[in-house]
Amino acid sequence: MNLCDLLGDISEDNDRLTRRFATPAMKRAYSWVQLWMESIGMTVRVDAAGNLIGRYAATNPDAPALLLGSHLDTVRNAGRYDGPLGVLCALACVQDLANRGRRLPFAIEVIAFADEEGVRYHTAYLGSAALVGAFQHAWLERTDDQGVSMATALQGFGGDPAQLAAAQRQPSDFIGYCEVHIEQGPVLEAENLPVGVVTAIAAQQRVSIVWVGEAGHAGTVPMHLRYDALAGAAAFVLAAEAVGRATPGLVVTVGQLTVQPGASNVIPGTVTLSLDVRHQENAHVHSACRALYEQAIQIASDRQLSMEWRTVQHNNAVQCSPALQQVLAHAIEQCGLPSYHLPSGAGHDSVMLSRITDCAMLFVRCQRGISHHPAEAVAVADVAVALRVLQIFVDTLAERHTAFSR
Ligand SMILES: [Zn+2]
């Protein structure tokens, strides 16, 4: 927790925590984390994409690695646990092994991803994308809000834009990936549980919907002669809420609404709204969007509005490994707690890493589900549980690995 506080003070800004990809603040955070990695016997390197990687050797130098960690970059005005908690839990786990003088039949690589939030260059999962060979060279030309290209920033940071292919890892390098992360939602708190096992990163569809009616004078156009785009959009917002409530686990949000002309004495002529639909199963997202599309057509036809439906983004769900989920659940039960499973509504590096290895995530209860905000908070006792679970998880994998190789 002290180390979380220490990293929480390393920021680009004086009065708030902001630590974006390849910034001097990120470099300062790396120098601390590198020091801690080395102090517990890890060999440390920064890969071509700028990820910081520490390796705790196995009994056999050619053994594959269990990958543990999270990201060290943050959003603007961030809390101090989203990301760093996962890196530090991984280090605490290695420290425990080092203290016991214990080597495992697999190596442990602790990774601090250089960019997960994607704030500086609008490239979410940049660090993990490089690891799975999904880094797109065109990203290097992107510039930040100061006009600095990613290539320049990466070079100054200790990465190597010319060697990005070398950052790619192979499935045979790893036996799996496990990330400890704050929940960023209120479910564990409501269940009164310190930790939970993530089942999947939810599928997500984002749609932009434009409603067009006819603007007119609020005083002179009688109600029966109006084509009010906002009234149609409002009917749709309530329909979206009803669809979301009808299916367990489905979340449907209209978060943005632009009304034009946008004056108190003018009937709204055009409304643009955002729709965000998520569920851990692709089929539910698909059928919810289908149902809402049909309702949108019906509302538009009833009100004689025109409606344009444009899918902006679609991500399939990413399932966590059932085998690793089971090992995490077993570890939680060893701690005398019930194992609770929940999906992640937010994206994480497992979205990328699942392309090359089995992924698992352990969520830690966070106060009131607040994240991406300075008020982000976790309880010391909950972090202690997460650490214990991670240790048992690693020990269990080591036992099984040994049994398999006999
Ligand atoms: Zn995060």
Side-chain angles (χ1 to χ4, degrees), residues 70-71 73 81-83 116-117 179 181-182 184 347-348 372:
S70 189
H71 56 98
D73 67 310
Y81 304 102
D82 176 353
E116 190 268 348
E117 306 283 6
E179 177 169 0
H181 201 283
I182 58 166
Q184 299 181 270
H348 296 285
H372 287 186

Side-chain angles (χ1 to χ4, degrees), residues 33-57:
V33 174
Q34 174 163 1
L35 199 69
W36 300 331
M37 284 174 163
E38 285 166 352
S39 75
I40 52 177
M42 305 184 93
T43 46
V44 185
R45 67 191 178 93
V46 173
D47 74 7
N51 297 307
L52 181 67
I53 304 170
R55 186 171 170 107
Y56 183 75

Side-chain angles (χ1 to χ4, degrees), residues 153-379:
L154 185 55
Q155 207 130 38
F157 187 63
D160 188 347
Q163 292 296 321
L164 277 164
Q168 183 178 353
R169 306 290 295 272
Q170 301 305 319
S172 56
D173 291 344
F174 300 120
I175 61 166
Y177 171 64
C178 184
E179 177 169 0
V180 174
H181 201 283
I182 58 166
E183 183 203 339
Q184 299 181 270
V187 175
L188 290 172
E189 196 171 66
E191 295 290 333
N192 196 26
L193 292 170
V195 293
V197 182
V198 178
T199 53
I201 315 278
Q204 178 188 22
Q205 185 145 337
R206 285 172 49 211
V207 184
S208 170
I209 306 163
V210 183
W211 304 83
V212 181
E214 201 169 83
H217 195 291
T220 61
V221 185
M223 296 309 284
H224 72 283
L225 294 178
R226 291 186 179 200
Y227 304 99
D228 184 332
L230 181 57
F236 180 80
V237 172
L238 293 178
E241 185 191 41
V243 164
R245 284 186 172 165
T247 303
L250 185 69
V251 282
V252 180
T253 309
V254 175
Q256 227 173 16
L257 202 68
T258 314
V259 182
Q260 288 166 312
S264 65
N265 59 351
V266 182
I267 300 160
T270 303
V271 169
T272 306
L273 68 78
S274 66
L275 175 69
D276 180 311
V277 180
R278 304 187 200 201
H279 192 279
Q280 63 172 322
E281 284 171 38
N282 298 327
H284 281 300
V285 170
H286 185 79
S287 57
C289 288
R290 182 82 229 161
L292 282 169
Y293 177 65
E294 274 157 20
Q295 293 205 42
I297 287 178
Q298 190 62 50
I299 291 167
S301 134
D302 290 350
R303 294 175 168 272
Q304 298 183 48
L305 304 170
S306 76
M307 188 275 300
E308 186 205 342
W309 179 283
R310 191 168 61 86
T311 301
V312 177
Q313 191 188 326
H314 177 81
N315 298 329
N316 281 324
V318 173
Q319 303 300 323
C320 290
S321 150
L324 293 183
Q325 281 186 61
Q326 189 248 321
V327 179
L328 275 180
H330 162 82
I332 293 170
E333 284 154 15
Q334 293 282 100
C335 294
L337 291 160
S339 61
Y340 183 81
H341 293 251
L342 73 169
S344 173
H348 296 285
D349 285 306
S350 289
V351 168
M352 283 292 160
L353 289 167
S354 62
R355 296 190 190 184
I356 61 163
T357 195
D358 285 352
C359 290
M361 289 192 75
L362 181 72
F363 270 172
V364 181
R365 165 169 55 187
C366 63
Q367 214 176 77
R368 290 189 290 143
I370 293 170
S371 72
H372 287 186
H373 188 277
E376 208 173 86
V378 288

